[in-house]
Amino acid sequence: MDFDDTPKERAFRQEVGAWLDEALDDIPPQEGLSEAERAHWSRIWQERICAGNWAGLSWPVEYGGRGLDSTAQAIFNEEAELRGAPYPLNGVGMYLAGPTIIVHGTAEQKARHLPGILSGTEYWCQGFSEPGSGSDLASLQTRAVKVDGGWVINGSKIWTSNAHNADKCLLLARTDPDAPKHEGITYFLAPMDRFTVRPLVMLNGDAEFNEMFLDEVFVPDEDVLGGVGNGWRVALTTLAFERGTMALSLWVWARQAVDRLTDLAIERGLADDTAVLDALGALYADAEAVRIGSLRMIGETQAGGAPGPETSALKSLWAGVVQEANRLAVQLDAAGGVLLDGEGAAARMRHYLRSRAHTIEGGTEEVQKSILAERVLNLPRSR
């Protein structure tokens, strides 16, 4: 496989870069900003993406998108990350909700939701994980009971990104408690107006995640996506889009973490330290492996395949690179980061603390290894 851009991709990358350079001109570097400031610029960035017709690059033209392939979306995300752009506040809407609705939604659902996502007027979050079923998603216990005209839902969700800004939720709930756990789940496009949302403050002081409580929340029948009892199949579509969309962003984040470590090693006078050089070399190689693996996955998808277990390998490798790079950066600070000598060391500690979540969010490390064991090595199911 050729890992270089084709002439068409190179031209698109130049187009993207020119637009990004102009659109980002007045947006400050996100490093060092408070959580509220980052959210402010994320919202502004979302508005600019929508206004510039970059919100639905890979969506079909008939649904308001530009009809480009997944590589175009990956290139846009990669170039935006390389320039330090804020993460768009409605990433769940653009990359997960919209594509999933396009695949599984009715004509009415598409007409009702897709224009708002493309225009930036309808924000989404993803209500999958629960306090007792984060790693084993199919064991979720949020319950939906059929009533006249819809469903009454009770339960709770946790680790919900951007729930405090969302209007709608991609919600999984159990509609048949007697069915096998993968078969009794239904996928809802739920309005957020009756959810109770509470922030979860992380180790680094940020509160980008939330817990959500549903107490007698009514969701009409027209907000069932993909049919009653088909929620697991629809959820797998969402997860596939999530992993595919993040592909080239992951390697950029990994490389940025390694680059920060390299700059720190030079600053500390360790450019000739053999142990440090060995560690940097291994991390650079792993970051490059994430890039190449991502390109291979995108190429296979374009050839008609679907994201498979290789996404678990990429996610696991990426998480390891970012965690190790940030751990070593803190270790190079005085007293292993305990004595923080200024703003730079404090920022490194925030990066380190945030990176601890990478082997939990988006599927735990244990889940990723189980997927590889079962689907690649054909080992017996572990759960």
Side-chain angles (χ1 to χ4, degrees):
M1 177 177 178
D2 186 353
F3 295 106
D4 293 327
D5 287 343
T6 65
K8 180 180 178 181
E9 291 166 353
R10 192 177 305 115
F12 181 73
R13 190 181 293 275
Q14 291 172 348
E15 177 190 353
V16 168
W19 183 83
L20 287 170
D21 288 339
E22 181 177 351
L24 288 166
D25 182 61
D26 63 339
I27 294 183
Q30 300 300 287
E31 185 69 39
L33 296 182
S34 68
E35 182 183 6
E37 290 170 330
R38 292 197 303 274
H40 167 75
W41 288 110
S42 290
R43 184 177 293 276
I44 289 177
W45 186 235
Q46 179 68 57
E47 293 170 355
R48 292 184 184 180
I49 288 174
C50 292
N53 195 27
W54 299 96
L57 291 179
S58 59
W59 291 23
V61 174
E62 59 265 35
Y63 299 123
R66 290 175 60 174
L68 303 179
D69 57 28
S70 56
T71 300
Q73 184 65 70
I75 287 173
F76 181 88
N77 292 350
E78 180 184 19
E79 291 298 317
E81 294 292 347
L82 286 170
R83 287 165 171 77
Y87 188 78
L89 197 61
N90 198 27
V92 171
M94 291 191 302
Y95 305 141
L96 306 185
T100 304
I101 293 170
I102 288 171
V103 172
H104 295 284
T106 64
E108 187 275 335
Q109 288 171 334
K110 294 172 186 177
R112 183 153 47 97
H113 295 295
L114 297 182
I117 296 173
L118 286 181
S119 65
T121 58
E122 186 173 279
Y123 281 54
W124 288 75
C125 65
Q126 180 182 351
F128 282 18
S129 295
E130 296 186 3
S133 59
S135 297
D136 183 12
L137 178 59
S139 68
L140 63 89
Q141 295 301 309
T142 294
R143 180 78 184 276
V145 177
K146 188 71 180 76
V147 296
D148 186 29
W151 302 80
V152 172
I153 304 179
N154 289 277
S156 64
K157 299 290 179 177
I158 199 166
W159 310 123
T160 310
S161 301
N162 206 39
H164 53 297
N165 292 311
D167 309 298
K168 305 287 184 180
C169 178
L170 302 174
L171 179 70
L172 291 181
R174 188 163 299 284
T175 48
D176 186 351
D178 299 321
K181 64 180 185 179
H182 290 84
E183 299 176 13
I185 298 171
T186 297
Y187 197 117
F188 296 92
L189 306 175
M192 292 280 293
D193 54 350
R194 292 193 57 193
F195 286 35
T196 299
V197 178
R198 296 177 186 169
L200 292 169
V201 180
M202 300 186 296
L203 282 172
N204 66 353
D206 289 346
E208 64 189 76
F209 297 115
N210 302 269
E211 53 184 345
M212 305 190 302
F213 300 92
L214 292 83
D215 182 15
E216 298 292 300
V217 171
F218 175 77
V219 178
D221 286 326
E222 56 264 30
D223 285 330
V224 171
L225 183 67
V228 176
N230 291 324
W232 185 253
R233 179 171 61 91
V234 182
L236 290 180
T237 300
T238 301
L239 294 174
F241 281 125
E242 181 176 27
R243 290 163 183 162
T245 300
M246 301 302 293
L248 287 183
S249 295
L250 292 183
W251 98 262
V252 175
W253 294 338
R255 181 60 184 265
Q256 288 172 338
V258 180
D259 286 345
R260 287 194 299 267
L261 176 62
T262 302
D263 292 341
L264 179 61
I266 295 172
E267 178 185 321
R268 293 287 191 264
L270 299 171
D272 297 322
D273 186 291
T274 302
V276 172
L277 289 175
D278 285 347
L280 285 172
L283 288 170
Y284 271 111
D286 284 347
E288 181 66 6
V290 174
R291 184 183 77 87
I292 291 174
S294 299
L295 290 172
R296 289 183 61 184
M297 184 186 71
I298 292 171
E300 291 171 0
T301 302
Q302 288 181 336
E310 69 274 10
T311 59
S312 293
L314 288 174
K315 196 266 185 181
S316 180
L317 181 60
W318 163 76
V321 172
V322 177
Q323 285 185 348
E324 181 65 6
N326 284 301
R327 184 190 69 81
L328 289 173
V330 169
Q331 188 175 348
L332 292 183
D333 283 321
V338 176
L339 304 178
L340 299 178
D341 56 344
E343 183 178 344
R348 286 187 285 275
M349 179 59 78
R350 287 196 300 271
H351 281 300
Y352 168 74
L353 292 174
R354 179 62 182 86
S355 73
R356 305 317 301 164
H358 293 336
T359 44
I360 301 172
E361 59 191 345
T364 66
E365 184 71 0
E366 292 76 14
V367 167
Q368 307 305 331
K369 290 179 178 178
S370 292
I371 290 172
L372 293 171
E374 295 164 11
R375 301 184 190 178
V376 177
L377 302 178
N378 294 318
L379 296 176
R381 290 183 62 87
S382 60
R383 63 196 189 287

